[in-house]
Amino acid sequence: MHETTPCWNREMEFMEEGHLRPLQSERLRDVVARVYERVPYYKEKLDAAGVSPEDIRGIEDIVRLPFTSKDDLRDTYPFGLFAVPMEQVVRVHASSGTTGRPTVVGYTRRDVQMWAEVMARTFAAGGTHIGDVVQNSYGYGLFTGGLGAHYGAELIGASVVPTSGGQTKRQVQILQDFGSTVLCCTPSYALVIGETGREMGVDFAGLPLRVGFFGAEPWSQSMRQEIEASLHVDALDIYGLSEMIGPGVSFECLEKGGLHINEDHFFPEVINPKTGDPVPDGELGELVFTSLTKEALPVLRYRSRDLTRIVTEPCGCGRSLRRMERVTGRTDEMLIVRGVNVFPSQVEEVLMRIEETTPNYLLVLDRKPRGMDEMEVQVEVSERTFSDEMSKLETLSERIGGEIEETLGLRVSVRLVEPRSLERSTGKAKRVMDRRDLGR
Ligand code: DLL
């Protein structure tokens, strides 16, 4: 069955029912024993929780383990959670986050190989093969995107062009001249590449570009349509986080119905972020991951703060790896404006439905002198709309305000801004400017 579905590791990706759980159980027992023995911080944590490695008999016992959070990584900065001596660490990455110290992550040689394997599965699921030219526009450096995608594409045997992010005109030039068939970057940067290409007079329909692997930030179904129309590609969602490995934790296949989790390496749970209790499959909650095979930095029950749900229906591709829905936002990204919970992705969905605007927006939050919070939605209008008369623009901004209010239950002010006036990002886009802390 499904012999024709493109894949990298048929045995693991299409594992028969009943085979995966014993493997996960064995790997969980092993990782718990390893961190207990080798990472004093974890020994203390497990002792405090009253759990010893012998208590963990199978994967169902995972709920007995304590959670790990970003703070645990910060408290042990930079290498305190490493479970191997530095001589065995062949790579270090770090994610800067928005506040405080960066989170540092390390890899043994085997970890780097496993990472390439899970990224090869990602690329193969989108039909990448030998002979493909993979333009990798994720940033190379401390960020995991660049090198993570690089090694996976190389393992497949594709020709990798490591452009990294930035110099967008050159990106477009290379897309054309090298005949890139695969593009990797953040979804927001994919749109910037499309926009720049059009300004340069490029017809993407005439290029060999076929598929894009986009991730590292939340995006919506409407944004997928926008990218697919702009670049003439299949736009696939790829997800990951440095604390687990980087990109490669989960990936979409060409069915585009959620992301298959590489659960032989990363065990997923979805919990209620308030209580920490597991929620049933299909219910929205916070994703928690345990790395089952990582050597340098094994992490137990890491609270990702990402919100999603487990998809229960089987996928048309035939893979048995469970799927998660696309991540729509983070628990710490939720804005509370005059008591209303707002996720930037909700505003994005509304803006994407409005034809006269472009997908470039910024939410600006201010606290007014009398203590009221205000949210301004700045959104770029299209070139054609911008040249419309004032009255039309006013009607448009009222319409947008009305639709946002209907969705969020919150009155916001809308400012239409000139095409190309908002800052473009070559990596993760910045959609929120919260100025409410100033002068408090
Ligand atoms: O962003 C790894 C990555 C690189 C993934 C390239 C995909 C492609 P970090 O910098 O540690 O790692 O950021 C991890 O980014 O917890 C999510 O909040 C967010 N994120 C990553 N992928 C997606 C996605 C990389 N497909 C954090 N959809 C995660 C939504 C995503 N959010």
Side-chain angles (χ1 to χ4, degrees), residues 70 94-96 138 143-146 185-186 213-219 237-243 246-248 259 304-306 326-330 333 428:
K70 207 163 192 88
S95 78
S96 54
Y138 282 118
F143 176 53
T144 53
C185 60
T186 58
F213 297 89
F214 306 121
E217 64 184 7
W219 51 311
D237 193 3
I238 72 171
Y239 168 89
L241 59 167
S242 315
E243 292 81 359
L259 299 91
S304 69
R305 298 185 183 169
D306 292 326
R326 64 165 65 247
V327 169
T328 44
R330 293 171 57 85
E333 209 186 50
K428 298 182 194 248

mmCIF file of all heavy atoms in Angstrom, residues 70 94-96 138 143-146 185-186 213-219 237-243 246-248 259 304-306 326-330 333 428, ligand 1:
data_model
loop_
_atom_site.group_PDB
_atom_site.id
_atom_site.type_symbol
_atom_site.label_atom_id
_atom_site.label_comp_id
_atom_site.label_asym_id
_atom_site.label_seq_id
_atom_site.Cartn_x
_atom_site.Cartn_y
_atom_site.Cartn_z
ATOM 1 N N LYS A 70 11.666 26.723 29.109
ATOM 2 C CA LYS A 70 12.760 27.564 28.630
ATOM 3 C C LYS A 70 13.596 28.063 29.816
ATOM 4 O O LYS A 70 14.808 28.210 29.713
ATOM 5 C CB LYS A 70 12.203 28.742 27.828
ATOM 6 C CG LYS A 70 13.182 29.233 26.808
ATOM 7 C CD LYS A 70 12.540 30.100 25.749
ATOM 8 C CE LYS A 70 13.462 30.337 24.594
ATOM 9 N NZ LYS A 70 13.467 29.394 23.511
ATOM 10 N N ALA A 94 22.039 28.312 18.853
ATOM 11 C CA ALA A 94 21.379 29.059 19.924
ATOM 12 C C ALA A 94 20.203 29.816 19.345
ATOM 13 O O ALA A 94 20.221 30.209 18.179
ATOM 14 C CB ALA A 94 22.357 30.038 20.559
ATOM 15 N N SER A 95 19.158 29.955 20.148
ATOM 16 C CA SER A 95 18.027 30.765 19.673
ATOM 17 C C SER A 95 17.911 31.950 20.603
ATOM 18 O O SER A 95 18.026 31.819 21.814
ATOM 19 C CB SER A 95 16.750 29.949 19.616
ATOM 20 O OG SER A 95 16.207 29.815 20.898
ATOM 21 N N SER A 96 17.740 33.114 20.009
ATOM 22 C CA SER A 96 17.845 34.335 20.796
ATOM 23 C C SER A 96 16.586 34.634 21.595
ATOM 24 O O SER A 96 16.650 35.139 22.699
ATOM 25 C CB SER A 96 18.167 35.503 19.883
ATOM 26 O OG SER A 96 17.210 35.538 18.864
ATOM 27 N N TYR A 138 16.944 29.872 4.451
ATOM 28 C CA TYR A 138 16.904 30.028 5.914
ATOM 29 C C TYR A 138 18.257 30.556 6.345
ATOM 30 O O TYR A 138 19.285 30.219 5.733
ATOM 31 C CB TYR A 138 16.656 28.677 6.597
ATOM 32 C CG TYR A 138 15.219 28.215 6.550
ATOM 33 C CD1 TYR A 138 14.872 27.044 5.891
ATOM 34 C CD2 TYR A 138 14.210 28.945 7.179
ATOM 35 C CE1 TYR A 138 13.556 26.612 5.851
ATOM 36 C CE2 TYR A 138 12.896 28.521 7.141
ATOM 37 C CZ TYR A 138 12.569 27.355 6.478
ATOM 38 O OH TYR A 138 11.275 26.933 6.438
ATOM 39 N N PHE A 143 21.038 30.280 14.302
ATOM 40 C CA PHE A 143 19.684 29.809 13.992
ATOM 41 C C PHE A 143 19.781 28.406 13.374
ATOM 42 O O PHE A 143 20.662 28.141 12.552
ATOM 43 C CB PHE A 143 19.028 30.790 13.013
ATOM 44 C CG PHE A 143 17.664 30.386 12.527
ATOM 45 C CD1 PHE A 143 16.652 30.054 13.423
ATOM 46 C CD2 PHE A 143 17.370 30.359 11.165
ATOM 47 C CE1 PHE A 143 15.394 29.691 12.974
ATOM 48 C CE2 PHE A 143 16.110 30.004 10.703
ATOM 49 C CZ PHE A 143 15.127 29.663 11.621
ATOM 50 N N THR A 144 18.854 27.522 13.764
ATOM 51 C CA THR A 144 18.930 26.131 13.307
ATOM 52 C C THR A 144 18.415 25.920 11.878
ATOM 53 O O THR A 144 18.645 24.864 11.285
ATOM 54 C CB THR A 144 18.093 25.217 14.230
ATOM 55 O OG1 THR A 144 16.776 25.773 14.318
ATOM 56 C CG2 THR A 144 18.700 25.105 15.613
ATOM 57 N N GLY A 145 17.693 26.901 11.347
ATOM 58 C CA GLY A 145 17.039 26.729 10.047
ATOM 59 C C GLY A 145 18.006 26.408 8.912
ATOM 60 O O GLY A 145 17.808 25.450 8.162
ATOM 61 N N GLY A 146 19.052 27.222 8.769
ATOM 62 C CA GLY A 146 19.973 27.088 7.639
ATOM 63 C C GLY A 146 20.649 25.724 7.592
ATOM 64 O O GLY A 146 20.438 24.930 6.668
ATOM 65 N N CYS A 185 12.497 28.743 3.169
ATOM 66 C CA CYS A 185 12.616 30.007 3.905
ATOM 67 C C CYS A 185 11.373 30.174 4.772
ATOM 68 O O CYS A 185 10.494 29.312 4.763
ATOM 69 C CB CYS A 185 12.753 31.201 2.956
ATOM 70 S SG CYS A 185 11.387 31.438 1.824
ATOM 71 N N THR A 186 11.311 31.267 5.512
ATOM 72 C CA THR A 186 10.089 31.509 6.289
ATOM 73 C C THR A 186 8.967 31.895 5.316
ATOM 74 O O THR A 186 9.245 32.444 4.246
ATOM 75 C CB THR A 186 10.290 32.661 7.303
ATOM 76 O OG1 THR A 186 10.668 33.847 6.595
ATOM 77 C CG2 THR A 186 11.356 32.329 8.333
ATOM 78 N N PHE A 213 9.429 24.684 1.277
ATOM 79 C CA PHE A 213 9.310 24.181 2.647
ATOM 80 C C PHE A 213 9.412 25.371 3.586
ATOM 81 O O PHE A 213 10.506 25.894 3.815
ATOM 82 C CB PHE A 213 10.406 23.142 2.917
ATOM 83 C CG PHE A 213 10.264 21.934 2.039
ATOM 84 C CD1 PHE A 213 10.874 21.878 0.790
ATOM 85 C CD2 PHE A 213 9.473 20.860 2.440
ATOM 86 C CE1 PHE A 213 10.718 20.772 -0.035
ATOM 87 C CE2 PHE A 213 9.313 19.749 1.618
ATOM 88 C CZ PHE A 213 9.937 19.710 0.385
ATOM 89 N N PHE A 214 8.249 25.776 4.085
ATOM 90 C CA PHE A 214 8.192 27.034 4.817
ATOM 91 C C PHE A 214 7.825 26.803 6.275
ATOM 92 O O PHE A 214 6.926 26.025 6.584
ATOM 93 C CB PHE A 214 7.161 27.957 4.162
ATOM 94 C CG PHE A 214 7.404 28.171 2.680
ATOM 95 C CD1 PHE A 214 6.443 27.822 1.743
ATOM 96 C CD2 PHE A 214 8.608 28.708 2.237
ATOM 97 C CE1 PHE A 214 6.665 28.010 0.383
ATOM 98 C CE2 PHE A 214 8.854 28.898 0.878
ATOM 99 C CZ PHE A 214 7.873 28.546 -0.053
ATOM 100 N N GLY A 215 8.535 27.488 7.167
ATOM 101 C CA GLY A 215 8.245 27.328 8.590
ATOM 102 C C GLY A 215 9.033 28.311 9.414
ATOM 103 O O GLY A 215 9.515 29.325 8.909
ATOM 104 N N ALA A 216 9.152 28.019 10.697
ATOM 105 C CA ALA A 216 9.858 28.836 11.697
ATOM 106 C C ALA A 216 8.991 29.950 12.271
ATOM 107 O O ALA A 216 9.407 30.663 13.170
ATOM 108 C CB ALA A 216 11.179 29.402 11.171
ATOM 109 N N GLU A 217 7.778 30.117 11.738
ATOM 110 C CA GLU A 217 6.857 31.119 12.271
ATOM 111 C C GLU A 217 5.431 30.700 11.896
ATOM 112 O O GLU A 217 5.246 29.941 10.936
ATOM 113 C CB GLU A 217 7.169 32.504 11.674
ATOM 114 C CG GLU A 217 6.956 32.558 10.167
ATOM 115 C CD GLU A 217 7.355 33.882 9.530
ATOM 116 O OE1 GLU A 217 7.928 34.736 10.227
ATOM 117 O OE2 GLU A 217 7.082 34.052 8.333
ATOM 118 N N PRO A 218 4.450 31.181 12.651
ATOM 119 C CA PRO A 218 3.071 30.793 12.319
ATOM 120 C C PRO A 218 2.611 31.418 11.006
ATOM 121 O O PRO A 218 3.006 32.540 10.685
ATOM 122 C CB PRO A 218 2.244 31.366 13.478
ATOM 123 C CG PRO A 218 3.175 31.955 14.449
ATOM 124 C CD PRO A 218 4.523 32.045 13.832
ATOM 125 N N TRP A 219 1.843 30.657 10.264
ATOM 126 C CA TRP A 219 1.217 31.199 9.053
ATOM 127 C C TRP A 219 -0.129 30.536 8.880
ATOM 128 O O TRP A 219 -0.439 29.561 9.559
ATOM 129 C CB TRP A 219 2.124 31.068 7.829
ATOM 130 C CG TRP A 219 2.724 29.727 7.514
ATOM 131 C CD1 TRP A 219 3.376 28.894 8.379
ATOM 132 C CD2 TRP A 219 2.769 29.077 6.236
ATOM 133 N NE1 TRP A 219 3.823 27.777 7.720
ATOM 134 C CE2 TRP A 219 3.468 27.856 6.406
ATOM 135 C CE3 TRP A 219 2.303 29.420 4.963
ATOM 136 C CZ2 TRP A 219 3.699 26.973 5.351
ATOM 137 C CZ3 TRP A 219 2.540 28.531 3.922
ATOM 138 C CH2 TRP A 219 3.228 27.331 4.111
ATOM 139 N N ASP A 237 4.226 23.187 5.003
ATOM 140 C CA ASP A 237 4.545 23.711 6.324
ATOM 141 C C ASP A 237 5.545 22.780 7.007
ATOM 142 O O ASP A 237 5.337 21.563 7.024
ATOM 143 C CB ASP A 237 3.231 23.761 7.137
ATOM 144 C CG ASP A 237 3.350 24.573 8.403
ATOM 145 O OD1 ASP A 237 4.425 25.153 8.648
ATOM 146 O OD2 ASP A 237 2.349 24.643 9.155
ATOM 147 N N ILE A 238 6.612 23.326 7.532
ATOM 148 C CA ILE A 238 7.551 22.508 8.302
ATOM 149 C C ILE A 238 7.745 23.152 9.674
ATOM 150 O O ILE A 238 7.798 24.363 9.806
ATOM 151 C CB ILE A 238 8.898 22.279 7.582
ATOM 152 C CG1 ILE A 238 9.758 23.540 7.545
ATOM 153 C CG2 ILE A 238 8.670 21.786 6.159
ATOM 154 C CD1 ILE A 238 11.168 23.286 7.036
ATOM 155 N N TYR A 239 7.819 22.299 10.694
ATOM 156 C CA TYR A 239 7.837 22.806 12.071
ATOM 157 C C TYR A 239 8.990 22.214 12.861
ATOM 158 O O TYR A 239 9.387 21.051 12.638
ATOM 159 C CB TYR A 239 6.511 22.432 12.751
ATOM 160 C CG TYR A 239 6.500 22.635 14.253
ATOM 161 C CD1 TYR A 239 6.113 23.854 14.801
ATOM 162 C CD2 TYR A 239 6.869 21.606 15.111
ATOM 163 C CE1 TYR A 239 6.103 24.042 16.179
ATOM 164 C CE2 TYR A 239 6.858 21.782 16.497
ATOM 165 C CZ TYR A 239 6.466 23.005 17.021
ATOM 166 O OH TYR A 239 6.464 23.190 18.379
ATOM 167 N N GLY A 240 9.492 22.991 13.778
ATOM 168 C CA GLY A 240 10.511 22.477 14.679
ATOM 169 C C GLY A 240 10.923 23.531 15.668
ATOM 170 O O GLY A 240 10.513 24.690 15.567
ATOM 171 N N LEU A 241 11.708 23.129 16.635
ATOM 172 C CA LEU A 241 12.212 24.073 17.629
ATOM 173 C C LEU A 241 13.601 23.638 18.056
ATOM 174 O O LEU A 241 13.893 22.442 18.103
ATOM 175 C CB LEU A 241 11.249 24.191 18.823
ATOM 176 C CG LEU A 241 10.901 22.977 19.648
ATOM 177 C CD1 LEU A 241 10.214 23.417 20.943
ATOM 178 C CD2 LEU A 241 9.948 22.059 18.912
ATOM 179 N N SER A 242 14.442 24.619 18.342
ATOM 180 C CA SER A 242 15.837 24.328 18.665
ATOM 181 C C SER A 242 15.955 23.339 19.811
ATOM 182 O O SER A 242 16.818 22.454 19.787
ATOM 183 C CB SER A 242 16.579 25.596 19.076
ATOM 184 O OG SER A 242 16.286 26.649 18.226
ATOM 185 N N GLU A 243 15.109 23.491 20.817
ATOM 186 C CA GLU A 243 15.236 22.655 22.013
ATOM 187 C C GLU A 243 15.067 21.179 21.688
ATOM 188 O O GLU A 243 15.558 20.317 22.410
ATOM 189 C CB GLU A 243 14.208 23.075 23.072
ATOM 190 C CG GLU A 243 14.453 24.451 23.670
ATOM 191 C CD GLU A 243 13.952 25.589 22.797
ATOM 192 O OE1 GLU A 243 13.422 25.311 21.683
ATOM 193 O OE2 GLU A 243 14.080 26.755 23.215
ATOM 194 N N GLY A 246 15.629 21.516 15.967
ATOM 195 C CA GLY A 246 15.566 22.580 14.958
ATOM 196 C C GLY A 246 14.438 22.188 14.011
ATOM 197 O O GLY A 246 13.495 21.498 14.425
ATOM 198 N N PRO A 247 14.500 22.542 12.720
ATOM 199 C CA PRO A 247 13.473 22.070 11.800
ATOM 200 C C PRO A 247 13.562 20.546 11.708
ATOM 201 O O PRO A 247 14.649 19.997 11.901
ATOM 202 C CB PRO A 247 13.856 22.722 10.474
ATOM 203 C CG PRO A 247 15.324 23.006 10.584
ATOM 204 C CD PRO A 247 15.555 23.318 12.034
ATOM 205 N N GLY A 248 12.433 19.872 11.406
ATOM 206 C CA GLY A 248 12.488 18.415 11.289
ATOM 207 C C GLY A 248 11.657 17.692 12.327
ATOM 208 O O GLY A 248 11.572 16.473 12.317
ATOM 209 N N LEU A 259 0.696 18.333 9.899
ATOM 210 C CA LEU A 259 2.113 17.966 9.868
ATOM 211 C C LEU A 259 2.364 16.632 10.560
ATOM 212 O O LEU A 259 2.001 16.451 11.724
ATOM 213 C CB LEU A 259 2.952 19.056 10.554
ATOM 214 C CG LEU A 259 2.881 20.458 9.926
ATOM 215 C CD1 LEU A 259 1.760 21.262 10.578
ATOM 216 C CD2 LEU A 259 4.186 21.199 10.085
ATOM 217 N N SER A 304 6.521 23.751 24.734
ATOM 218 C CA SER A 304 6.874 24.563 23.567
ATOM 219 C C SER A 304 6.158 25.909 23.557
ATOM 220 O O SER A 304 6.588 26.830 22.888
ATOM 221 C CB SER A 304 6.484 23.821 22.284
ATOM 222 O OG SER A 304 5.068 23.772 22.186
ATOM 223 N N ARG A 305 5.040 25.999 24.284
ATOM 224 C CA ARG A 305 4.147 27.177 24.270
ATOM 225 C C ARG A 305 3.398 27.304 22.948
ATOM 226 O O ARG A 305 2.657 28.252 22.739
ATOM 227 C CB ARG A 305 4.913 28.471 24.555
ATOM 228 C CG ARG A 305 5.539 28.459 25.922
ATOM 229 C CD ARG A 305 6.183 29.787 26.209
ATOM 230 N NE ARG A 305 6.856 29.753 27.486
ATOM 231 C CZ ARG A 305 7.681 30.677 27.914
ATOM 232 N NH1 ARG A 305 7.923 31.719 27.158
ATOM 233 N NH2 ARG A 305 8.242 30.597 29.090
ATOM 234 N N ASP A 306 3.611 26.379 22.034
ATOM 235 C CA ASP A 306 2.885 26.412 20.756
ATOM 236 C C ASP A 306 1.529 25.747 20.903
ATOM 237 O O ASP A 306 1.411 24.706 21.552
ATOM 238 C CB ASP A 306 3.689 25.673 19.673
ATOM 239 C CG ASP A 306 4.963 26.410 19.326
ATOM 240 O OD1 ASP A 306 4.953 27.656 19.361
ATOM 241 O OD2 ASP A 306 5.978 25.742 19.041
ATOM 242 N N ARG A 326 -1.594 22.732 11.904
ATOM 243 C CA ARG A 326 -0.612 23.818 11.858
ATOM 244 C C ARG A 326 -0.681 24.618 13.172
ATOM 245 O O ARG A 326 -1.752 24.720 13.775
ATOM 246 C CB ARG A 326 -0.837 24.717 10.654
ATOM 247 C CG ARG A 326 -2.132 25.474 10.635
ATOM 248 C CD ARG A 326 -2.121 26.613 9.617
ATOM 249 N NE ARG A 326 -2.008 26.211 8.240
ATOM 250 C CZ ARG A 326 -0.933 26.473 7.481
ATOM 251 N NH1 ARG A 326 0.087 27.110 7.967
ATOM 252 N NH2 ARG A 326 -0.923 26.106 6.225
ATOM 253 N N VAL A 327 0.465 25.126 13.602
ATOM 254 C CA VAL A 327 0.510 25.909 14.840
ATOM 255 C C VAL A 327 -0.041 27.298 14.541
ATOM 256 O O VAL A 327 0.450 27.976 13.646
ATOM 257 C CB VAL A 327 1.962 25.999 15.373
ATOM 258 C CG1 VAL A 327 2.071 27.009 16.492
ATOM 259 C CG2 VAL A 327 2.440 24.628 15.829
ATOM 260 N N THR A 328 -1.066 27.677 15.293
ATOM 261 C CA THR A 328 -1.698 28.952 14.976
ATOM 262 C C THR A 328 -1.174 30.084 15.841
ATOM 263 O O THR A 328 -1.361 31.247 15.532
ATOM 264 C CB THR A 328 -3.219 28.859 15.150
ATOM 265 O OG1 THR A 328 -3.460 28.161 16.372
ATOM 266 C CG2 THR A 328 -3.868 28.130 14.013
ATOM 267 N N GLY A 329 -0.544 29.747 16.931
ATOM 268 C CA GLY A 329 -0.023 30.813 17.778
ATOM 269 C C GLY A 329 0.640 30.224 18.993
ATOM 270 O O GLY A 329 0.690 29.001 19.161
ATOM 271 N N ARG A 330 1.183 31.086 19.820
ATOM 272 C CA ARG A 330 1.865 30.650 21.024
ATOM 273 C C ARG A 330 1.152 31.210 22.234
ATOM 274 O O ARG A 330 0.584 32.299 22.175
ATOM 275 C CB ARG A 330 3.303 31.171 21.025
ATOM 276 C CG ARG A 330 4.193 30.586 19.960
ATOM 277 C CD ARG A 330 5.504 31.335 19.917
ATOM 278 N NE ARG A 330 6.189 31.316 21.208
ATOM 279 C CZ ARG A 330 6.992 30.337 21.626
ATOM 280 N NH1 ARG A 330 7.202 29.309 20.851
ATOM 281 N NH2 ARG A 330 7.578 30.391 22.805
ATOM 282 N N GLU A 333 2.267 34.541 22.933
ATOM 283 C CA GLU A 333 2.103 35.525 21.872
ATOM 284 C C GLU A 333 0.727 36.183 21.985
ATOM 285 O O GLU A 333 0.417 37.137 21.291
ATOM 286 C CB GLU A 333 2.151 34.757 20.553
ATOM 287 C CG GLU A 333 2.663 35.478 19.383
ATOM 288 C CD GLU A 333 2.480 34.574 18.176
ATOM 289 O OE1 GLU A 333 1.370 34.040 17.969
ATOM 290 O OE2 GLU A 333 3.449 34.398 17.464
ATOM 291 N N LYS A 428 12.241 35.330 10.597
ATOM 292 C CA LYS A 428 10.938 35.374 11.267
ATOM 293 C C LYS A 428 10.412 36.812 11.237
ATOM 294 O O LYS A 428 11.117 37.740 11.616
ATOM 295 C CB LYS A 428 11.095 34.920 12.719
ATOM 296 C CG LYS A 428 11.585 33.478 12.861
ATOM 297 C CD LYS A 428 11.669 33.077 14.326
ATOM 298 C CE LYS A 428 12.455 31.808 14.511
ATOM 299 N NZ LYS A 428 11.688 30.656 14.963
HETATM 300 O O1 DLL B 1 12.330 28.053 14.135
HETATM 301 C C1 DLL B 1 13.243 25.860 13.751
HETATM 302 C C2 DLL B 1 12.771 25.908 12.344
HETATM 303 C C3 DLL B 1 13.579 26.399 11.340
HETATM 304 C C4 DLL B 1 11.524 25.394 12.002
HETATM 305 C C5 DLL B 1 13.149 26.413 10.031
HETATM 306 C C6 DLL B 1 11.077 25.375 10.697
HETATM 307 C C7 DLL B 1 11.896 25.889 9.698
HETATM 308 P P1 DLL B 1 13.404 28.179 16.916
HETATM 309 O O2 DLL B 1 14.117 29.368 16.396
HETATM 310 O O3 DLL B 1 13.903 27.552 18.171
HETATM 311 O O4 DLL B 1 13.441 27.015 15.850
HETATM 312 O O5 DLL B 1 11.893 28.571 17.076
HETATM 313 C C8 DLL B 1 10.941 27.610 17.448
HETATM 314 O O6 DLL B 1 9.256 28.760 16.140
HETATM 315 O O7 DLL B 1 8.337 26.941 19.063
HETATM 316 C C9 DLL B 1 7.279 27.918 17.083
HETATM 317 O O8 DLL B 1 6.780 28.903 17.948
HETATM 318 C C10 DLL B 1 7.880 28.600 15.865
HETATM 319 N N1 DLL B 1 7.697 27.749 14.672
HETATM 320 C C11 DLL B 1 8.597 26.964 14.067
HETATM 321 N N2 DLL B 1 8.048 26.372 12.974
HETATM 322 C C12 DLL B 1 6.763 26.790 12.910
HETATM 323 C C13 DLL B 1 5.671 26.545 12.037
HETATM 324 C C14 DLL B 1 12.944 27.100 14.563
HETATM 325 N N3 DLL B 1 5.772 25.764 10.965
HETATM 326 C C15 DLL B 1 9.569 28.227 17.434
HETATM 327 N N4 DLL B 1 4.477 27.132 12.322
HETATM 328 C C16 DLL B 1 8.475 27.211 17.696
HETATM 329 C C17 DLL B 1 4.345 27.924 13.396
HETATM 330 C C18 DLL B 1 6.544 27.658 14.011
HETATM 331 N N5 DLL B 1 5.337 28.213 14.232
#
